[in-house]
Amino acid sequence: MPSIADRSVELESNAVGSAGVSTPPKRRLRSNSSPMKLSPLKCKRVGISSVAKLRNVEVESERSVEEVVGSGGDLTPQKRKLRSDSSSPMKPRPVSSPMKCKSARRNLSACSSTPANGIEKYFSQKKPQAFCKPPVVAKPNWNPRDKEQMRIVKEALHLSTVPSTVACRDVEQKRVLEFCKSCIEQEKAGSLYVCGCPGTGKSLSMEKVKQLLVNWAGEGGFQEPDVLELNCTSLTKTSDIFAKILGKYQPQKKANGTTSLQLLQKLYSQKPQSDGTKMMLIIADELDYLITKDRAVLHDLFMLTTYPFSRCILLGVANAIDLADRFVPKLQSLNCKPMVITFRAYSKDQILKILQERLMALPYTVFQPHALELCARKVAAASGDMRKALCISRSAIEMLEAELRESTDKLNSSTAENPFSEQQTAPALALVKKQEIDIVRIDHMAIALSKTFKSPVVDTIQCLPQHQQIIMCSAAKHFRGVKKDTTIGELNKSYIDICKATLIPPVGSFEFSSMCKVLNDQGLLKLSGQSRDIKSKRVTLNVDEGDITFALQGIRFFRTCLE
């Protein structure tokens, strides 16, 4: 018994035959069989494309399969008669003249009713061109022999160069600015104490706050406050600060410190004659200079903000973090406790960001990225002083400048000795040309850092013999994990691994133990244990790992070992 699939195939063949679809001429031409005689009905040419014929055949075949499945596989002759016969008999037509065989692609393109395929549809639709960002062009390296470029780079890293924005201090600036705004809006005096370590951006932030406050008052319809900026270290006497403040109100009147304080107290105790009296913003930098034995000047200065008709906003800036703890309790008892804002030391990422922003305006690359990162990491670990980071960066540039000067002197001396030997001077000229486009490398930065943070431990490690330096390097790598101590035998294995990796012949175990004793005497390693076997004695690193890394960072061999 034939299966449903066989019947569906037979039905599809009948459907194709009933629809009048004949075998394409192309297939008859490809085969070598003899031509067949076709009836007029089968030779009927329908005025549609080959694609439309195939789609009609597929639809008819799908319907026939559905009928077969619905009837449980029993196909009656009447159904076949209904599908094949039409309501009106079809008149036979004469055989048309032979047509040229066209490919399926030509038939598809010639048919106007055929929907466009995927490729035509893609290219026919006008798609908006996507905006392409311009490629990031790397900055060229600078020429350190160019005096103008050297001057511009040093000026960008100088302490006197004020940046347009104070990076990494947005939160502190916002708090100070909001405090000053509230005082102006309420026409009420107030005091604020800003403290932090040196080089943390306090003075620059106060300058930025002053500009923002003046602009805000002008745009908001408030009177712009009078601004008095003074550095307390420039005062001859600590009480002269009151004369400076009084000079803003009464420039013609001259008085000493005690008289000025009394006049200010009287001025702030009486109601002003005119309502248009401006607020005064007083920025007193280096406030800890005003600390005297009885702290009377400091207390009197903050007391000026407590008078009923006082119009001053006092911003005191000092480096001493504990200054607030020393004088704030007394001010609190006098009901004039200031608001305290602390500027924390810069972190490694913040120092790196500030250095990069200063160098971003230059049209060329000056530093290797690793050199800047080394500077930021070391300064952040030591003090977080941004001024020190700028000085170290300038010192690294001077290291490169000295190296180029030395190479030029060697070239000139060799040329003077052998003026006719062009073959010998050619490699030296190529070296100088290479160095002309060089940048500040990590070894230059390491030298500048060692001069700034010179410590006896770093000097001792740098003066050690090579094999003792390798022992310190292997100890630094061995103690990077949780392990804090080990035996001399295990440390010897780490030492031998580094020597084999760098193709340096290691010393014997007895000489290795002797060198460990020398390092113990110098305070770099610590040996402990009562064992008679020297290999079983415990050894501990007695210095900071960062000091070892910093001392050996400038040598490429040890830099590779420590990575």
Side-chain angles (χ1 to χ4, degrees), residues 423-457:
Q423 295 180 356
Q424 295 179 1
T425 58
L429 287 171
L431 178 62
V432 172
K433 287 182 180 179
K434 178 182 180 299
Q435 288 179 339
E436 283 181 354
I437 59 171
D438 209 350
I439 59 179
V440 180
R441 302 186 301 273
I442 193 170
D443 53 337
H444 300 138
M445 187 64 71
I447 297 172
L449 285 168
S450 63
K451 290 185 175 181
T452 305
F453 300 104
K454 206 168 184 69
S455 66
V457 175

Side-chain angles (χ1 to χ4, degrees), residues 10-26:
E10 182 183 357
L11 185 59
E12 289 179 6
S13 61
N14 294 337
V16 172
S18 62
V21 179
S22 62
T23 307
K26 199 167 186 180

Side-chain angles (χ1 to χ4, degrees), residues 457 460-461 472 516-526 540-544:
V457 175
T460 304
I461 296 174
M472 296 300 299
C516 288
K517 290 180 180 179
V518 172
L519 294 174
N520 177 65
D521 296 338
Q522 293 179 341
L524 302 178
L525 294 179
K526 184 179 179 181
T540 308
L541 193 62
N542 206 26
V543 295
D544 189 16

Side-chain angles (χ1 to χ4, degrees), residues 472-529:
M472 296 300 299
C473 180
S474 60
K477 291 187 66 176
H478 194 80
F479 294 121
R480 275 182 181 172
V482 183
K483 203 171 184 180
K484 297 301 179 183
D485 65 339
T486 184
T487 61
I488 291 182
E490 292 179 357
L491 184 61
N492 190 15
K493 292 180 182 179
S494 301
Y495 160 79
I496 293 174
D497 292 340
I498 292 179
C499 290
K500 287 182 178 179
T502 54
L503 302 179
I504 294 178
V507 299
S509 59
F510 179 77
E511 191 174 353
F512 178 83
S513 303
S514 300
M515 287 191 294
C516 288
K517 290 180 180 179
V518 172
L519 294 174
N520 177 65
D521 296 338
Q522 293 179 341
L524 302 178
L525 294 179
K526 184 179 179 181
L527 301 179
S528 60

